[in-house]
Amino acid sequence: MIVSRFAPSPTGFLHLGNARTAIFSYLFARHHGGKFILRVEDTDRERSTREFEDMLLEDLKWLGLEWDEFYRQSERLDLYREYTQKLMESGHAYPCFCTVEELEREREEAERRGVPYRYSGKCRVLAPQELEEYKRLSKPYTIRFKVPDGRLVVFEDLIKGHIAINVDDFGDFVIVRSDGTPTYNFVVVVDDALMGVSHVIRGEDHIPNTPKQILIYEALGFQIPKFAHLPVILGEDRSKLSKRHGAVSVRNYREEGYLPEALFNYLCLLGWSPSGTEREIFSKEELVSLFRLEDVNSSPAVFSKEKLRWMNGVYIREVVSTERLVEEFIPFLERAGFSANKEYVKRVIEKTRDSFETLSEGVERLKVFFVDRVEFSEEAKAVLENEKSRHVLELFLDKASQTDLNAQKVKDIAKEIQRELGLKAKDVWHVLRASLTGQLEGVGVDVICDVMPRDRLIDRIENVLKYF
Ligand code: GLU
């Protein structure tokens, strides 16, 4: 059975790169009818928090990822202890009593000699008396994995191809810290093996860890899974995508008014595209059926906020249903301080969904439909502050009193006014636009007239006559 997993550490917001890893891992499992596991890697007690975990899960759900099994490493410590014991008994691991200062000295020495640092292996062979003495003194210790000398660890990465790493590049590494908590490279193996993970899909920054993990698989007699390391995501300046590039967490985009469907779709195309098509807009179901690790590019992908924004615009304009858009739009309206009834929002959105690319931009652009009092730009004020405009508006109210109002009716009335006062069509329209929206550009007057109830239209015109 195909089993993949996403294994985030709850030490911050969900980064776009990690979200893409999660998505690829998810699509891979779903494509093969396999299982997708979510495992929270929270053994680093200092950096992990429950708040980050909660937000992580929320963001993953928001993106539309659902998992079949959930684990939290901090709840599995007994299990890791058992496997530490096994490694000790089989001679693959040993306690190391070196102090931080001693290790620091080793490191400095290596630096002075200009060679890469690796642990000297000093505690590999402690005399029994020495061991007794340390135990009697309750001297703190870590547990290290005994790395066999001179091994070349080789694996076939499903994305990166053939990888060979000499274990002499690293020394015996710590698998249990002196506070008793196990480290990543150790627990990731125990978990992936016990959870039956067949494919480890993760960022390429983990390639240097993989040989360490393979050695532990071997030492414990576990079957080694397949590895697929995803290339990094770069910013447009070709450096690794980071906070310097602005918004890089899923939450940032969620709060800016990106739709989860659009972000999901966009992230999929960061380093992957289905062979044989130029298409870019795909539903989740299509992505599940098209996704293949073989089509993942082995070189880095470049994140473009502009492209993501464009794609979000496509989703808003033509992909999601109006109902869906309304459901996403209302919280943004409410956060901006407007209350609105669903039916009304729906009528607004139906006519305007082609005019904005993010929900927050939408609220900014469409707030004119929701405000109690229109705010006037300087240009609009200039248009309204003269006698001619007064005449236009008075005549409008007079004519409007005998009819209902919609775009067509307002156009007819405007034409009559234009004739009666000897004005240009554009001038009349300008006055109406300035009165109803407070702006000389933006949302069309016809849309306003079609969507807003008659009494609110009249009210806006009357207000101009009252205050200008
Ligand atoms: N907790 C690790 C991380 O967030 C997981 C790496 C892995 O997938 O093995 O980078």
Side-chain angles (χ1 to χ4, degrees):
M1 157 121 127
I2 297 284
V3 181
S4 71
R5 58 21 169 222
F6 176 54
S9 304
T11 55
F13 291 109
L14 179 61
H15 185 280
L16 291 178
N18 286 338
R20 186 200 55 170
T21 301
I23 290 174
F24 282 13
S25 190
Y26 167 85
L27 290 176
F28 180 74
R30 290 288 174 267
H31 178 90
H32 291 283
K35 192 157 72 178
F36 176 64
I37 293 174
L38 178 62
R39 183 172 72 228
V40 173
E41 305 212 317
D42 59 347
T43 58
D44 183 343
R45 284 196 212 142
E46 270 166 37
R47 297 177 56 225
S48 309
T49 71
R50 207 33 105 84
E51 287 72 32
F52 278 132
E53 179 188 311
D54 290 344
M55 290 195 275
L56 212 65
L57 301 199
E58 219 182 274
D59 288 345
L60 289 170
K61 281 188 202 146
W62 176 79
L63 265 180
L65 296 180
E66 60 300 315
W67 44 91
D68 306 306
E69 286 174 16
F70 175 82
Y71 301 94
R72 196 179 281 124
Q73 287 187 327
S74 59
E75 291 165 359
R76 297 166 60 81
L77 297 174
D78 286 345
L79 198 77
Y80 307 135
R81 238 168 267 147
E82 211 180 286
Y83 283 91
T84 308
Q85 210 48 44
K86 280 193 181 157
L87 286 174
M88 300 267 270
E89 278 160 19
S90 61
H92 287 100
Y94 61 91
C96 169
F97 295 91
C98 292
T99 61
V100 176
E101 293 74 30
E102 281 172 291
L103 295 172
E104 197 42 50
R105 244 175 284 135
E106 280 190 6
R107 188 163 290 135
E108 280 166 11
E109 173 66 18
E111 214 164 282
R112 219 168 32 77
R113 299 211 328 261
V115 293
Y117 171 69
R118 37 175 277 188
Y119 174 58
S120 64
K122 190 167 142 201
C123 292
R124 262 195 190 197
V125 274
L126 286 179
Q129 311 88 293
E130 234 173 328
L131 205 59
E132 276 310 305
E133 178 68 1
Y134 287 153
K135 282 210 177 126
R136 199 177 56 80
L137 295 172
S138 302
K139 198 171 181 215
Y141 62 94
T142 58
I143 293 175
R144 286 183 187 269
F145 184 81
K146 199 186 283 176
V147 175
D149 294 324
R151 256 283 301 278
L152 191 67
V153 177
V154 175
F155 64 99
E156 296 302 320
D157 190 274
L158 294 176
I159 295 167
K160 295 278 173 180
H162 184 77
I163 296 182
I165 296 179
N166 190 330
V167 300
D168 289 343
D169 291 353
F170 50 85
D172 295 350
F173 54 92
V174 173
I175 58 171
V176 181
R177 302 180 187 93
S178 57
D179 67 358
T181 56
T183 61
Y184 160 71
N185 275 316
F186 169 48
V187 291
V188 77
V189 171
V190 174
D191 280 346
D192 282 338
L194 298 185
M195 293 171 192
V197 170
S198 62
H199 290 74
V200 170
I201 300 170
R202 61 185 170 200
E204 71 176 353
D205 48 326
H206 285 292
I207 290 179
N209 289 324
T210 307
K212 295 182 184 173
Q213 296 171 16
I214 289 178
L215 293 176
I216 300 178
Y217 277 101
E218 290 175 352
L220 288 171
F222 288 142
Q223 195 187 337
I224 300 170
K226 298 233 179 323
F227 294 97
H229 287 95
L230 306 172
V232 280
I233 298 178
L234 305 178
E236 275 171 303
D237 61 355
R238 302 293 189 274
S239 71
K240 192 169 177 218
L241 187 66
S242 71
K243 284 208 180 98
R244 282 187 309 109
H245 295 97
V248 288
S249 73
V250 166
R251 198 153 281 243
N252 290 144
Y253 287 90
R254 180 177 171 182
E255 283 167 1
E256 266 187 58
Y258 285 77
L259 298 174
E261 297 91 329
L263 187 57
F264 190 103
N265 190 155
Y266 178 74
L267 290 175
C268 282
L269 299 182
L270 274 186
W272 170 84
S273 55
S275 43
T277 172
E278 295 284 292
R279 260 178 70 196
E280 293 189 296
I281 306 294
F282 300 98
S283 70
K284 196 163 141 193
E285 293 67 35
E286 288 173 313
L287 290 165
V288 165
S289 88
L290 289 168
F291 187 81
R292 296 174 349 135
L293 279 176
E294 294 90 308
D295 295 328
V296 174
N297 206 322
S298 63
S299 45
V302 176
F303 172 76
S304 158
K305 183 160 183 186
E306 215 173 294
K307 177 93 191 253
L308 168 58
R309 194 183 165 85
W310 164 81
M311 190 171 281
N312 203 54
V314 174
Y315 269 79
I316 289 178
R317 277 196 301 282
E318 52 198 78
V319 179
V320 298
S321 69
T322 309
E323 284 70 23
R324 170 94 186 90
L325 199 51
V326 167
E327 172 194 303
E328 288 284 328
F329 192 72
I330 287 180
F332 277 79
L333 263 183
E334 288 173 346
R335 220 177 317 140
F338 302 111
S339 59
N341 122 344
K342 215 169 172 172
E343 268 316 299
Y344 180 60
V345 177
K346 189 170 167 209
R347 271 191 288 141
V348 173
I349 291 287
E350 255 163 3
K351 300 248 180 210
T352 59
R353 60 189 286 181
D354 58 353
S355 67
F356 54 95
E357 289 184 320
T358 68
L359 298 173
S360 46
E361 190 200 349
V363 168
E364 195 46 41
R365 194 177 161 82
L366 304 181
K367 66 179 180 213
V368 64
F369 286 96
F370 302 97
V371 286
D372 288 330
R373 280 243 181 288
V374 173
E375 270 177 51
F376 296 89
S377 70
E378 289 308 315
E379 297 81 17
K381 279 184 195 158
V383 166
L384 295 175
E385 276 164 348
N386 66 63
E387 269 314 295
K388 219 186 293 161
S389 299
R390 272 200 95 72
H391 279 150
V392 170
L393 295 177
E394 276 160 358
L395 209 48
F396 181 88
L397 285 182
D398 184 43
K399 290 176 185 296
S401 69
Q402 291 138 41
T403 165
D404 53 338
L405 291 178
N406 57 34
Q408 192 51 50
K409 285 272 162 56
V410 171
K411 260 182 216 151
D412 294 344
I413 294 177
K415 220 171 261 162
E416 285 176 33
I417 296 175
Q418 174 202 339
R419 262 200 310 270
E420 284 173 34
L421 297 183
L423 295 171
K424 284 197 216 117
K426 196 178 98 214
D427 294 333
V428 175
W429 208 239
H430 245 48
V431 174
L432 291 178
R433 163 188 281 286
S435 311
L436 294 172
T437 72
Q439 309 285 328
L440 296 188
E441 71 257 337
V443 175
V445 179
D446 45 351
V447 182
I448 293 261
C449 295
D450 267 345
V451 170
M452 272 209 318
R454 178 199 156 84
D455 51 341
R456 284 184 75 186
L457 293 171
I458 299 286
D459 189 49
R460 286 192 179 183
I461 305 279
E462 282 175 344
N463 270 329
V464 171
L465 287 172
K466 220 181 289 168
Y467 296 110
F468 281 87

